Amino acid sequence: MGKEHVQRHVLIIGTDIDRSIGMNRRDFIKTCGTVAVASFLDASFFSNVLANQEGFLKLYNKALLIKEDGSPITEKDILPHKEYLFFYPFTSTPCFLLNLGEEVKGVEVKLSDGKTYLWKGGVGSKKSIVAYSAICSHQWSYPTKEYAFINYYPPDKPSGTTKKAGVIQCCAHLSVFDPKAGGKVLEGPAELPLASVVLEEDGGKLFAVGILGKDQFDAFFENYKTDLRKQYGSSAKAKELVDKCIVLEVEKYVKETIRC
Ligand code: FES
C-alpha cells in the first residue's frame, strides 16, 4: 500500500459534517481528529453519525465526473438503468455509476459481524443516482478491458441463473448485490456488501468524494499486481489518486460483458 494511500485511510466523518463546519476538505483532513470535530457539533448528532460510520468512510480526492470530451457529466447524461464505469479513487479501481430510475432511500447496512454503517441513498433531483466499487467483494472479480463478470442487470433484463433483476451480479461465483440498499449481499458466497462511492452534487456537477464500506483495494492491488503493472506501467501508477473521472458506458471500456 502506497504512502498516500495510507495517509488518506484515516478515520474521518461524513461530508455533510465537513460542509457544516465550513472548512476546506484537505484542511479538515489534515487538522481535525474526530475528537476535535466533536466540539463543533451537537453531541448527540455527532455520536449517532460517528457510531455508524466509524472506520467505514474514507475520503479521497474530490473528483469531478466528466464525459469523454472533458465536460462535466450532468444528471441527464446518466440514462436510467444503463451501466457506466469510472475509475475512483485510484486510477485502476473501477466503479459503477447507475441511475436506478427512481428515488433510492438511504439504509443502514449491516455486516455479518453486527457492525453497521449508514448509506445515504441516491443523489440527483430524483435521488436515483448511485455508485459502487465494481470490485466484487467475494474474490475481487472486476471489469477489465477484455471482459466483465460483474455487471448490473436492469429490471427488464433479469439474470438467467438467479432470475434477479435490478441487481449487480458477479458471474464468477454468483454473488448478487442490491444497488438500492447500499450494495448489500442478496445471494451467493460474498459476505461483504459492495463498497459504495460517496457522491456529491455541486452546481449541477457530480463529484466522487470517498468510499463507504469495506473496500477491497488492498486485496485487489495484491492479487492483480502483475496485470496492473502491465496495464499501467507500474504499481505506483495503478495506485495514483484521481481528481477527475471519465464516465464511460460499460461497452465502451469492456469488450465482452459476461452475463449469466
Ligand atoms: S468473485 Fe464475484 S462472486 Fe466470487
Side-chain angles (χ1 to χ4, degrees):
M1 192 157 62
K3 191 176 165 200
E4 192 155 24
H5 184 181
V6 176
Q7 281 173 340
R8 289 176 187 272
H9 277 59
V10 291
L11 169 65
I12 41 182
I13 57 177
T15 52
D16 286 345
I17 296 172
D18 188 342
R19 271 195 296 271
S20 73
I21 59 176
M23 291 184 72
N24 171 281
R25 176 178 310 279
R26 285 200 178 84
D27 292 345
F28 175 76
I29 292 169
K30 258 190 244 162
T31 59
C32 293
T34 53
V35 175
V37 177
S39 62
F40 288 96
L41 301 165
D42 170 76
S44 62
F45 172 72
F46 177 74
S47 61
N48 286 343
V49 173
L50 188 58
N52 283 301
Q53 304 301 84
E54 189 167 0
F56 292 109
L57 177 61
K58 295 163 193 165
L59 295 190
Y60 294 90
N61 287 344
K62 181 173 178 175
L64 179 65
L65 303 194
I66 57 173
K67 296 189 267 192
E68 283 178 275
D69 65 8
S71 62
I73 200 159
T74 61
E75 195 177 335
K76 70 174 175 27
D77 300 313
I78 308 165
L79 302 179
H81 303 296
K82 211 159 176 40
E83 184 182 336
Y84 298 92
L85 286 179
F86 63 101
F87 289 81
Y88 183 83
F90 306 102
T91 192
S92 61
T93 46
C95 302
F96 293 121
L97 181 69
L98 303 170
N99 178 349
L100 298 179
E102 62 186 34
E103 181 176 349
V104 185
K105 291 192 179 354
V107 293
E108 187 176 60
V109 179
K110 193 168 187 180
L111 304 180
S112 53
D113 62 5
K115 289 187 176 161
T116 62
Y117 58 88
L118 295 173
W119 177 72
K120 286 173 62 177
V123 301
S125 61
K126 288 190 187 155
K127 305 221 173 298
S128 61
I129 297 169
V130 299
Y132 291 93
S133 170
I135 299 168
C136 181
S137 62
H138 177 231
Q139 286 180 358
W140 320 297
S141 177
Y142 72 104
T144 69
K145 287 190 173 181
E146 300 304 314
Y147 52 79
F149 282 90
I150 182 166
N151 288 292
Y152 174 65
Y153 291 68
D156 61 342
K157 291 190 183 132
S159 148
T161 47
T162 65
K163 311 294 179 208
K164 292 206 177 324
V167 297
I168 294 169
Q169 179 169 300
C170 178
C171 292
H173 312 97
L174 287 184
S175 288
V176 184
F177 305 93
D178 190 349
K180 285 188 181 161
K184 85 169 182 190
V185 181
L186 294 172
E187 212 170 299
E191 292 182 355
L192 289 167
L194 284 182
S196 55
V197 180
V198 182
L199 297 175
E200 264 185 23
E201 285 176 280
D202 197 346
K205 296 173 186 165
L206 268 179
F207 297 85
V209 299
I211 298 289
L212 179 67
K214 293 275 185 190
D215 70 60
Q216 301 297 318
F217 299 140
D218 291 342
F220 172 79
F221 288 131
E222 182 57 31
N223 257 278
Y224 299 112
K225 66 181 159 209
T226 308
D227 297 338
L228 294 172
R229 273 186 202 141
K230 203 164 147 195
Q231 184 174 350
Y232 293 92
S234 70
S235 293
K237 283 205 158 53
K239 292 178 187 176
E240 276 174 11
L241 291 162
V242 300
D243 55 17
K244 276 188 187 145
C245 311
I246 298 175
V247 176
L248 292 171
E249 292 169 24
V250 67
E251 296 82 7
K252 284 198 172 169
Y253 181 76
V254 177
K255 267 194 209 141
E256 194 178 356
T257 55
I258 309 218
R259 293 175 189 269
C260 57

